[in-house]
Amino acid sequence: MTSAIIGPRTPEQLDDLLAGADTVLDDDVLDRIDEIVPPGTDVGPIDVAYVPPALAHPELRRRKDVATK
């Protein structure tokens, strides 16, 4: 059996990834992303029974409480 384990391999790589954790995309960027890959698009039908909560409940897609932190 093989599997891919993804993630940082060094503390420096982890620091670089964590530096982007506070990045907030504005609505224009999110709208453009939605144009490229519309919400609900199945880009990898590995688990077709799973529906992410943000797709099942559109009000969860752009939570203002997260954007204001």
Side-chain angles (χ1 to χ4, degrees), residues 6-30:
I6 61 172
R9 289 184 286 153
T10 66
E12 292 79 17
Q13 290 175 343
L14 178 61
D15 290 340
D16 288 344
L17 291 171
L18 292 175
D22 292 330
T23 301
V24 177
L25 301 176
D26 63 26
D27 285 342
D28 291 337
V29 173
L30 294 172

Side-chain angles (χ1 to χ4, degrees), residues 4-69:
I5 300 174
I6 61 172
R9 289 184 286 153
T10 66
E12 292 79 17
Q13 290 175 343
L14 178 61
D15 290 340
D16 288 344
L17 291 171
L18 292 175
D22 292 330
T23 301
V24 177
L25 301 176
D26 63 26
D27 285 342
D28 291 337
V29 173
L30 294 172
D31 289 340
R32 182 66 181 121
I33 292 170
D34 287 349
E35 288 175 19
I36 296 168
V37 182
T41 300
D42 189 357
V43 294
I46 293 171
D47 188 359
V48 295
Y50 175 72
V51 177
L55 295 179
H57 306 283
E59 68 275 5
L60 297 177
R61 284 189 57 237
R62 296 188 188 178
R63 296 176 294 170
K64 297 297 180 187
D65 60 320
V66 172
T68 58
K69 287 185 179 180

